[in-house]
């Protein structure tokens, strides 16, 4: 059932005219509370007129006072007409959205429990309006939600409403859009559920049974284009704080995340949404929109059955075919994820995606480098103080080849060979698909000259006391650079100092 369309109203007023009109309407509604002098149609029309003026709080001061909120609350919760109550609730919801101070007034007047009771009605108008009011009171109020959980069955009402939505969406199916107002109502309920599990985590278990309902809706909702819009975003967010494993509540004999008919079903759905998202949004947008989705996929992978884990790895990690070029260069989902894992404009998503790829690699640094290449793995390993696999650097720098020298074991074989094919551990590309080097190899003298140039450039970036600190830093840095195997030359500044050819100028 949708909200009733607004009755025809006069032109939108502003300034003194609006203030006078709002004052007049509040006075009429207040007198009606005492004298019951308005017939229902007139009362409803008066509230409809007032609602127009609540779309902006400018010049609407009489509504923003304790008196104004009290008038609206009494018409919302103390009358006999649900039509009148819903008209007053619309005004109240608008005001509480636009003026945060009115939320505490609503709480102080004691109407939050009545809003929780209204949630018990099997009516989408009541669900929408009551959920909106309670959602708004999760911000900037001292409302005691413990009372609503314990004495007004708040969690049970939300679970029941979500079960009703699951039936609606299951009946419609993914190809048939449901009425817009049904979607809006679902969004309000999901927003309330998320805030309650976020701010009152000890009550999160009371919503575990809704895991089944949310997954049913997610499986049947028509995904919009682009995909990360309500209600999809709210469905994803609502799952984040739930007991996805059902370890504590034990509501299900079979976890609904991995249904018997297709254990991969929900993982597939979420990964398809992620795949579509990385192609339709810029990185800056994905930072805000896709981070919860990537976090959810990571959480699910953590406790998924082995068969589902294998399936998820096949969808999210680079395939053998992608290694025909350096990893991250193609248009696959894994390539998009690799690029996001180093994105400078999406730090939150960058961290989440990197953690996801590390989880997909069984939290093993060697497998991580093997899967994504040292170029993408190194930053994450270093920033998380995880040891970089020595065999990765040795395989990169020494070029050991057990085929040509059978007495030497390849220390990086796990990284440099995948399915018997040699790969570049830095880029992840197959060696036999790398472009041939047409440039003449540098002579030893040219290598030393180039190394000296790089040392000088590095030293110019060192700040602090000019000479002594520079020598100290370069002496520390040179062994580290040589240890990588990339350069094998002695710092000329250090050599000059050791030979007594260096003078410090005062």
């Amino acid at each position: 059932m949708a909200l009733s369309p607004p009755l025809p109203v006069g032109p939108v007023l502003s300034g003194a005219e609006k203030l006078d009109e709002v004052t007049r309407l509040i006075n009429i509604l207040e007198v009606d509370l005492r004298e019951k002098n308005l017939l229902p149609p007139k009362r409803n029309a008066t509230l409809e007129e007032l609602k127009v003026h609540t779309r902006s709080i400018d010049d609407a001061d009489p509504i923003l006072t304790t008196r104004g909120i009290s008038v609206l609350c009494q018409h919302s919760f103390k009358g006999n007409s649900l039509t009148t109550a819903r008209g007053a609730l619309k005004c109240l919801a608008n005001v509480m959205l636009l003026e945060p101070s009115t939320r505490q007034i609503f709480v102080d007047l004691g109407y939050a429990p009545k809003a929780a009771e209204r949630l018990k009605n099997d009516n989408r108008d009541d669900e929408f309006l009551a959920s909106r009011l309670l959602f708004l009171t999760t911000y900037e109020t001292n409302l005691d939600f413990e009372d609503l959980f314990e004495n007004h069955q708040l969690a049970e009402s939300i679970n029941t409403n979500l079960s009703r939505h699951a039936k609606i969406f299951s009946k419609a199916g993914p190809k048939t859009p449901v009425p817009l107002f049904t979607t809006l109502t679902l969004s309000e309920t999901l927003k309330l559920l998320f805030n309650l599990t976020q701010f009152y985590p000890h009550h999160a278990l009371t919503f575990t049974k809704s895991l089944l309902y949310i997954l049913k809706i997610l499986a049947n909702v028509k995904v919009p284009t682009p995909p990360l819009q309500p209600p999809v975003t709210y469905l994803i967010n609502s799952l984040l704080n739930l007991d996805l494993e059902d370890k504590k509540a034990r509501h299900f004999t079979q976890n609904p995340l991995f249904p018997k008919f297709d254990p991969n079903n929900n993982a597939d759905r979420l990964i398809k949404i992620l795949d579509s998202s990385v192609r339709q949004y810029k990185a800056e947008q994905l930072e805000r929109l896709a981070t919860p989705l990537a976090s959810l996929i990571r959480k699910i992978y953590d406790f998924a059955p082995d068969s589902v884990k294998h399936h998820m790895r096949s969808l999210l990690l680079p395939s053998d075919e992608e290694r025909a070029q350096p990893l991250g260069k193609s248009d696959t989902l894994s390539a998009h994820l690799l690029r996001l894992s180093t994105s400078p404009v999406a730090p939150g998503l960058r961290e989440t995606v990197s953690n996801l790829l590390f989880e997909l690699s069984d939290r093993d640094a060697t497998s991580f480098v093997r899967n994504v290449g040292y170029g993408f793995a190194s930053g994450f390993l270093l920033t998380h103080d995880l040891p970089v696999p020595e065999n990765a650097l040795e395989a990169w720098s020494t070029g050991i080849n057990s085929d040509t020298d059978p007495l030497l074991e390849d220390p990086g074989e796990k990284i440099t060979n995948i399915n018997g094919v040699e790969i570049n551990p830095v880029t992840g590309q197959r060696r036999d698909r790398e472009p041939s080097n047409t440039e003449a190899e540098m002579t030893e003298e040219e290598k030393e000259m180039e190394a000296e140039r790089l040392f000088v450039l590095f030293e110019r970036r060192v700040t602090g006391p000019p000479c002594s600190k520079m020598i100290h830093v370069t002496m520390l840095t040179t062994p580290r650079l040589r240890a990588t195997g990339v350069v094998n030359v002695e710092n000329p500044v250090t050599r000059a100092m050791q030979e007594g050819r260096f003078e410090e100028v005062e």
Side-chain angles (χ1 to χ4, degrees), residues 310-324:
H310 177 78
H311 180 69
M312 293 176 73
R313 286 195 295 268
S314 72
L315 297 176
L316 295 167
L317 290 175
S319 64
D320 289 345
E321 290 74 18
E322 290 181 70
R323 297 183 182 276

Side-chain angles (χ1 to χ4, degrees), residues 78-93:
K78 290 190 173 181
N80 296 321
S81 168
L82 286 175
T83 302
T84 299
R86 290 164 189 158
L89 283 169
K90 294 173 194 176
C91 297
L92 196 57

